[in-house]
Amino acid sequence: MPRLSEAVKRDHARITDAYHGLIETKPEDRNGDDFVWALARYLIVENLALIPALEYYINNGRQRQRRLSDDYDSINAKLRHMSKYNPSEESFNSSLKAIWLDLEPHIREETDEDLDELERLMGPEGSEALGRKYEKLKEMLQKPYGKGGVPDADTMGDVLDTTRQQLMERMGIAGVSSSP
């Protein structure tokens, strides 16, 4: 199993590739489903696995947790907004770029600061255990939805509109705790 940082960085790369693929594709040929689903799934798993660990292990974890939660809320709202538009519309493109304005620094800060510090504090065994949890949560969200494993618009909308607590209940995860 991968360490936590490897799993998160792999998701960062997938999301970044999907974003650049959308930007580089002609608007009339775009399909934003892969980007939307990769990002939505990442945000959910991050919220359920990574954020509680940051809060628990890192000295300024509570402050970082609040910033990540704000990022989550902002990006999720922009993602819901973007999903209302056809990928060929300019509003889709504007929404996509607005998401990236929040997402790029979020990814950079997590990659350059949070993950290294968290792994140092958790140690290799803790990182691998949290990496397993991260991957398991991702797997639980990856049902055989359809083309490329991406859910239909209604299912994706439901996922984007579900609160953290509701997701935890639906996935059979025990209540929120302060430890990872």
Side-chain angles (χ1 to χ4, degrees):
M1 271 296 173
R3 291 184 341 211
L4 175 65
S5 64
E6 293 165 348
V8 173
K9 288 176 182 178
R10 197 170 32 246
D11 279 351
H12 288 169
R14 179 171 183 210
I15 293 163
T16 300
D17 289 347
Y19 169 78
H20 288 293
L22 277 174
I23 291 294
E24 294 165 5
T25 302
K26 293 180 192 175
E28 62 272 9
D29 295 333
R30 286 182 181 162
N31 180 346
D33 291 347
D34 186 50
F35 172 76
V36 171
W37 183 234
L39 181 54
R41 189 176 61 195
Y42 161 76
L43 290 172
I44 292 165
V45 174
E46 176 187 66
N47 201 12
L48 296 175
L50 181 60
I51 291 174
L54 287 169
E55 184 177 359
Y56 183 78
Y57 284 101
I58 295 179
N59 285 338
N60 64 347
R62 173 67 86 188
Q63 177 187 10
R64 183 66 182 128
Q65 179 269 339
R66 270 187 248 122
R67 284 197 337 259
L68 284 172
S69 292
D70 290 346
D71 286 354
Y72 173 87
D73 292 341
S74 175
I75 293 168
N76 198 30
K78 290 176 181 179
L79 202 52
R80 284 195 316 271
H81 178 75
M82 184 184 81
S83 67
K84 295 177 185 176
Y85 299 105
N86 183 304
S88 64
E89 295 178 69
E90 180 54 38
S91 295
F92 179 91
N93 197 46
S94 300
S95 298
L96 180 63
K97 289 179 180 178
I99 289 170
W100 194 248
L101 283 174
D102 285 353
L103 187 57
E104 185 180 35
H106 171 94
I107 288 173
R108 188 174 42 250
E109 186 173 352
E110 212 167 73
T111 300
D112 295 345
E113 298 171 22
D114 294 338
L115 292 172
D116 289 340
E117 183 176 1
L118 183 58
E119 285 197 343
R120 183 180 56 75
L121 294 168
M122 293 177 71
E125 291 171 4
S127 175
E128 288 175 10
L130 194 53
R132 282 191 298 276
K133 178 179 179 179
Y134 184 95
E135 291 294 338
K136 183 177 180 184
L137 288 167
K138 227 169 68 173
E139 189 177 304
M140 290 172 77
L141 287 167
Q142 190 58 43
K143 302 291 181 198
Y145 284 114
K147 185 178 178 184
V150 176
D152 61 34
D154 290 337
T155 302
M156 200 168 330
D158 288 345
V159 169
L160 293 172
D161 290 337
T162 303
T163 67
R164 177 182 184 196
Q165 189 61 40
Q166 290 168 328
L167 275 168
M168 291 178 76
E169 289 169 8
R170 290 180 186 171
M171 293 173 72
I173 300 170
V176 180
S177 69
S178 60
S179 65

